[in-house]
Amino acid sequence: MSAISKFIKKKRREAGLTQEEFAIRSGLGLRFVRELEHGKETVRMDKVNQALSMFGMEAVPGKKDE
Amino acid sequence: MSAISKFIKKKRREAGLTQEEFAIRSGLGLRFVRELEHGKETVRMDKVNQALSMFGMEAVPGKKDE
DNA sequence: AATATTTATACCCTTAAGGGTATTACATAC
DNA sequence: GTATGTAATACCCTTAAGGGTATAAATATT
């Protein structure tokens, strides 16, 4: 599971949001939110960044291991 | 320009590779490499990670500003 | 300056991402 | 047990991402 997928799932739950509520608030499709959290690797980066921006984050290069 | 785009462009040049050479070595399409470095936002995350993995990196959540 | 190299756009095609919706599975209650 | 809320899969459709190739522009290099 990617760091991004795990991050979104964790943060969303901490915010007390369902996938549906998160989808609505972020302007993303519910199916996309599900697939992103489920670890789908072929998602589009703009949508990923749209999700991350809900928590003031964006996709950046990071060390692979650790 | 996204942090990832800038990172790839910078690292590729530091490695002394042309976009074409980088495309070949990473197994990505030349056109994709061009569009990624040019800042296209709708690229696919798996391809982005394939590019980042050339430098031992992957897309992770990071603070937006700074 | 001219020339070679690298990078950027534009064309068409195939494939699949994302959306909507419905259905199914999985919880956590009651 | 049944009901309720949440999450996961499956269907079809529209749109566009990515590949290949060709051409144009930009950037060295001499």
Side-chain angles (χ1 to χ4, degrees):
Chain A
M1 192 76 66
S2 81
I4 290 175
S5 292
K6 279 186 289 191
F7 178 85
I8 292 293
K9 191 168 201 165
K10 182 167 175 290
K11 280 290 189 179
R12 173 183 62 78
R13 284 182 163 162
E14 286 176 5
L17 298 174
T18 65
Q19 291 176 334
E20 194 170 7
E21 250 305 304
F22 182 78
I24 291 167
R25 295 200 192 185
S26 63
L28 294 164
L30 172 57
R31 229 191 51 180
F32 172 81
V33 173
R34 293 205 204 293
E35 291 178 336
L36 172 60
E37 289 195 0
H38 199 249
K40 187 177 182 182
E41 295 179 348
T42 58
V43 289
R44 259 168 50 179
M45 281 291 308
D46 61 330
K47 304 284 179 182
V48 173
N49 280 323
Q50 197 173 333
L52 288 172
S53 71
M54 293 293 288
F55 307 109
M57 307 286 269
E58 68 183 341
V60 301
K63 288 235 170 56
K64 215 167 182 177
D65 42 24
E66 97 178 272
Chain B
M1 194 75 68
S2 81
I4 290 175
S5 293
K6 281 186 290 192
F7 178 85
I8 292 294
K9 192 167 201 167
K10 182 168 176 290
K11 281 289 189 181
R12 172 183 63 78
R13 284 182 163 162
E14 285 177 7
L17 298 173
T18 66
Q19 291 176 336
E20 192 169 8
E21 251 304 304
F22 181 78
I24 290 167
R25 294 200 193 184
S26 63
L28 294 164
L30 172 57
R31 230 193 50 177
F32 172 82
V33 173
R34 293 207 203 291
E35 291 179 335
L36 172 61
E37 290 195 358
H38 199 249
K40 186 177 181 183
E41 296 180 345
T42 58
V43 290
R44 256 170 51 180
M45 197 173 71
D46 61 330
K47 305 283 179 183
V48 173
N49 280 324
Q50 197 174 334
L52 287 172
S53 72
M54 293 293 287
F55 307 109
M57 307 285 267
E58 69 183 340
V60 302
K63 290 234 169 57
K64 215 165 186 180
D65 42 25
E66 97 177 275

